[in-house]
Amino acid sequence: MSSEQASGLVPERTLGIAVLGLGNVGSEVVRLLTAHADELQARVGARLEIKGIAVRNVSPDRGVPVELLTDDPAALVSRDDVDIVVEVFGGIEPVRTLILNALNSGKSVVTANKALLADYTGELAAVADAADLDLYFEAAVAGAIPVVRPLMQSLAGDRVKRVVGIVNGTTNFILSAMGETGADYAETLAEASRLGYAEADPTADVEGFDAAAKAAILASIAFHTRVTASDVYREGISEISAEDLASAADLDCTIKLLAICERVTDDTGRERVSARVYPALLPNAHPLSAVNGAFNAVVVEAEAAGRLMFYGQGAGGAPTASAVLGDLVSAARNKVHGGKGPDESTYAKLPVMSIGDTPTRYYVRMEVADRTGVLAAVAQEFANHGVSISTVRQSGLADAATLVVVTHRAPDDALSKTVAALTSRDFVNTVTSVIRLEGTSEE
Amino acid sequence: MSSEQASGLVPERTLGIAVLGLGNVGSEVVRLLTAHADELQARVGARLEIKGIAVRNVSPDRGVPVELLTDDPAALVSRDDVDIVVEVFGGIEPVRTLILNALNSGKSVVTANKALLADYTGELAAVADAADLDLYFEAAVAGAIPVVRPLMQSLAGDRVKRVVGIVNGTTNFILSAMGETGADYAETLAEASRLGYAEADPTADVEGFDAAAKAAILASIAFHTRVTASDVYREGISEISAEDLASAADLDCTIKLLAICERVTDDTGRERVSARVYPALLPNAHPLSAVNGAFNAVVVEAEAAGRLMFYGQGAGGAPTASAVLGDLVSAARNKVHGGKGPDESTYAKLPVMSIGDTPTRYYVRMEVADRTGVLAAVAQEFANHGVSISTVRQSGLADAATLVVVTHRAPDDALSKTVAALTSRDFVNTVTSVIRLEGTSEE
């Protein structure tokens, strides 16, 4: 603070903040803005002042001054004294319209809304870029863990090859607990709900929709290509059994729901983007395998930087608010000092590779008749589809045996056709599990 | 690229880059600038063009066009067609003067020079801030791992409590190897030199000077306080023995050279900064304990974000160049779009806590006479200095015993006085090792 400011000769500069939403994240954003007001002012060069907080129902028991509350977010975002809008409502509408209105009336926007960004970054960023305003969204992926800024800025001079993340805490908590306790999926999900790690309707988490939205955002910024949620292949964890986790452990692996974004070269030599979410076997030696419970982590592999890992709390009010506040300080500094954060960068326009063409490895567990020639017949089915086998483990007694086959890399189509063919053969009683294998040196 | 640009109606904007130094990092910076020229142009909005490369001896066999080379860096940095200076020479002078001259003639600066920054960030940043120019230095700490940008930007709305890092690859390689092989320090250092992990004169690494420079930088940006290398308490790893590592393993610990930056409250309730570098016992459950070989990792603990970890390659030409290029893209975007990166922020002006006042825990191993009452006498010495004992392990035969004492937290002065007192007592034959213990829940 200059001596003129201290003596009151120059009025203190103020930036008006509108906060949309007062749930776990919004409450913590408001708390931090209040508790750290002086420090934030020193960092920004202006006082950050909350002009209003939009909530569904205005009531005096929300833990904030009731005069700040409003149930009219549209009026709030268009107020002349609001410079930056923080959106932590979630959902698509009316949020999309509110953000567009905010940008159109000269406000920069900080949002934690992954579902919105996964489909509408293009539309929102076009408006922000044209108006020279900021659209920051670090909190949309992996909570407090800086991932968006490192990808968009720190690695801006490098070439990202792959981003692999554990980006959903609920599914990671469930899979970690299944691995530890040996309990099955339904029981563990119920326990996760009881402990507050799973929502009443857990579909978005356990079926991978949440992770897929984050994969779309990560793939877009890593590969300078617009990737939306519908471009992301997605499977959830509800089919994973206690037996799968035990079997994975036998192979020195664990099972994680992974969001995978890769730069892949297709048959014609053209680069494509693969973005996919599914539970996968991961070797215990892989750094993501030790990420347990509700924690998140993202591994980034870049040509020059090599392999980087970012680890921390991927959800929760305070961690997410930390990421929101970091973006808010950046947006506020730009309002004070000029300049803006990185634009949306989609110049590469890489086509998206379908899951069928994407090279992966399969782990296939099946019950087969225990008679001479069955192993050869199973191996032949893999060979018929051009799939090379890496390892086979057979165990069993009497006239049935369990066969576990791990393949080398092959197009996913060839692998799924192999499994379909095996299912139809009389010596295969049942294909118990098909799970992809990731994170091996074979990639 | 707009259609006017594509059709050649608008001349392509160019930014001139001067590179100071063509060692491992400089060569890789030049290679990436050339190989990724089109992608960098798309990201920046201008073509990055190398105007000159300063080297000590101009010769045609440097792998770059000889006409770019110059042995006159002062002339290069003051050229009108240079917009950004990349400094990867290292050392204090003439680099400090060159960077000041660059800033004074309107150029933004990207540097990887930790030794310079540890002492002169204040001077350099003052010039950069006054001239509205960028001074970026991500590559100065932990190579390719984004740490500076996350601390200065992502966590700008949070309050950092502690930064603990393995930020020197040479010492981490040596300590990891000693732990694996059981070999002693001198032998392992020789092996590290042979493999290229230690320099001919390894002093800066093994005595902790390199890590201390990084600790000064980290503490400065984490706590908004100017901390220089001389503020950092420092011990190296040359006294660590194979026996220490074996003894650590018995306690489910490993030994790592840690750079520790903490916000500590002193007796009077005043906040202070503690910055220190020393080899410490670290529990195997701590995330940094698994960081082996030449890898680096930094754990950041912040009030709202909780514990974050950043992991990757902390040195080497390509990883360091990746960090330099990321900064270069930021500086270049600011030249094109206006705005500047974060200023130096030292508003907090926290006093530095002396090592004597800093609360730590000690691991003390000693040879004592094996007779009745010795344990009580040893315990009494700790009590005399107000130091509380956490655990004691005794092993031995005949009339000598090995005693390992692990203390609770106490001011380092009290701990070192306890050790001095023990050394003078006749029942203590020798104090074999004194190593601090970090990363326990007791902090």
Side-chain angles (χ1 to χ4, degrees), chain A residues 36 39 42-43 146 149 153-154 156 158-159 224 304-305 307-312 318-319 322 326 333 338-339 343 347, chain B residues 36 39 42-43 146 149 153-154 156 158-159 224 303-305 307-312 318-319 322 326 333 338-339 343 347:
Chain A
H36 297 175
E39 287 178 87
R43 293 173 198 179
R149 194 174 267 99
Q153 297 184 33
S154 309
D158 206 332
R159 227 162 164 258
H224 304 274
R307 184 190 267 181
L308 302 169
M309 184 165 90
F310 306 87
Y311 170 90
S322 172
R333 288 192 77 262
D343 296 342
Y347 66 85
Chain B
H36 297 177
E39 286 178 88
R43 293 172 197 178
R149 194 173 266 99
Q153 298 184 32
S154 308
D158 206 333
R159 222 159 171 262
H224 303 274
E303 275 185 19
R307 184 189 267 183
L308 302 169
M309 184 165 89
F310 306 87
Y311 170 90
S322 172
R333 289 192 77 260
D343 295 344
Y347 65 85

Side-chain angles (χ1 to χ4, degrees), chain A residues 170-171 173-193 206 237-246 255 365:
Chain A
T170 302
T171 47
F173 177 87
I174 292 171
L175 291 172
S176 299
M178 287 173 71
E180 275 165 34
T181 64
D184 70 13
Y185 170 76
E187 187 183 337
T188 312
L189 171 60
E191 175 74 0
S193 301
V206 301
I237 66 163
S238 53
E239 303 296 315
I240 299 295
S241 66
E243 203 178 354
D244 290 332
L245 280 152
I255 297 177
R365 194 169 81 245

